[in-house]
Amino acid sequence: MRNLRLIARLDVKMNWLIKGVQMEGWRKVGDPADFARRYASEGADELLFMDVVASLYERNNLHDMVQKVASEIFIPLTVGGGVRSTEDAGALLSRGADKVAINTAATRDPAIVTAISDRFGAQATVVSIEAIRRGPGQWEAMTDNGRNKTGLDVLEWAGEVERRGAGEIILTSIDTEGTGKGYDLELVKAVSSRVTIPVVACGGLGDSGHLAELVGQTEASAAATAQALHWGKLTLGDLRQTLAEEGCFVRPLPTDAA
């Protein structure tokens, strides 16, 4: 039975949960800790926190929030943004993060992937890839929430980070992110076929049918969603039901056994 994890993504700016479209036009949503607790209770398998202004301030500002949330919920937390060294990674892990996600620093010096993996393990080392389509079957990796070009081919980059010790890839399609029009299935299929490590599909989930397409047409290991949950277009209950209908394992909740 296939196990596809449901991940609630929370983009944070200065203590606010925010959401945009194609990584632009950010709007305030609410208190990220409140949303994190709610999603954990409703059946998210994991939470993904991303500090969207970490590159601007050259540090991750989520330490206190991560420590607070980790003390209250008991599902895995991945935290990204502004991780530039093993010390940065260790600071987040020591506060309760289970995994750290790196992007900009890895594109500048891929050796950081190996350094974090060697010190904390591949299971804690995640590379976030922000992909923008450049042509048929071609995507470029971007950084800083899709603002800066790297010149890196996404498929080649995905293979390299696996070789360097990454244990997971968060794959965000800039073209579909925040649109609610569905995942870039071609992108997910291409990256999943290039690597053997788990690939988290991110960007575009707008209805339960999009999740069913992801299950049926790709080898993604997880589905991350933000907008549809934040604005109440979908619930985690809806997504859990879709997974069950598609023959996937669905983690029981305490209320399920009541």
Side-chain angles (χ1 to χ4, degrees):
M1 179 178 289
R2 183 171 176 182
N3 179 18
L4 189 142
R5 293 169 285 139
L6 294 175
I7 300 177
R9 175 168 176 158
L10 300 106
D11 293 305
V12 181
K13 178 181 179 182
M14 305 301 290
N15 297 319
W16 281 95
L17 175 63
I18 61 171
K19 193 70 195 81
V21 176
Q22 296 177 326
M23 297 188 170
E24 296 179 343
W26 301 106
R27 294 171 57 190
K28 290 181 179 179
V29 180
D31 182 339
D34 289 344
F35 278 80
R37 285 188 288 266
R38 191 181 92 198
Y39 294 152
S41 68
E42 291 178 353
D45 295 307
E46 298 182 20
L47 298 177
L48 168 61
F49 282 95
M50 297 295 286
D51 184 339
V52 301
V53 292
S55 294
L56 177 63
Y57 293 102
E58 298 187 348
R59 67 181 297 268
N60 188 289
N61 296 292
L62 302 182
H63 295 80
D64 292 342
M65 184 180 301
V66 169
Q67 189 165 7
K68 178 182 179 181
V69 171
S71 69
E72 298 175 357
I73 68 171
F74 304 98
I75 60 175
L77 303 180
T78 301
V79 184
V83 178
R84 291 177 165 80
S85 65
T86 55
E87 289 74 21
D88 291 339
L92 290 169
L93 294 169
S94 69
R95 286 167 171 79
D98 297 276
K99 312 174 194 177
V100 293
I102 51 179
N103 181 6
T104 303
T107 63
R108 292 174 179 170
D109 181 9
I112 189 177
V113 179
T114 304
I116 293 175
S117 182
D118 286 349
R119 183 165 177 181
F120 301 109
Q123 82 288 340
T125 308
V126 179
V127 172
S128 173
I129 299 179
E130 299 169 357
I132 191 166
R133 187 179 288 271
R134 295 303 189 197
Q138 295 182 326
W139 298 267
E140 180 183 356
M142 306 288 283
T143 63
D144 299 303
N145 293 294
R147 290 188 295 270
N148 296 327
K149 300 177 180 180
T150 67
L152 294 170
D153 176 82
V154 163
L155 302 185
E156 294 179 359
W157 179 230
E160 180 173 354
V161 300
E162 179 180 29
R163 291 190 297 273
R164 288 182 176 273
E168 185 170 80
I169 291 171
I170 296 171
L171 180 64
T172 303
S173 167
I174 295 172
D175 301 289
T176 63
E177 194 276 334
T179 66
K181 296 180 179 180
Y183 293 104
D184 184 337
L185 300 175
E186 183 185 3
L187 170 65
V188 177
K189 286 189 285 187
V191 173
S192 297
S193 66
R194 181 63 67 98
V195 300
T196 61
I197 58 177
V199 174
V200 178
C202 190
L205 179 64
D207 59 48
S208 296
H210 296 150
L211 181 60
E213 291 174 349
L214 188 73
V215 172
Q217 300 182 38
T218 79
E219 296 301 318
S221 297
T225 184
Q227 178 212 224
L229 294 180
H230 300 343
W231 303 130
K233 297 178 180 178
L234 284 173
T235 67
L236 282 156
D238 297 330
L239 300 179
R240 286 164 57 84
Q241 180 177 345
T242 298
L243 289 183
E245 292 171 352
E246 294 298 315
C248 295
F249 171 79
V250 177
R251 176 175 59 89
L253 298 178
T255 53
D256 295 337

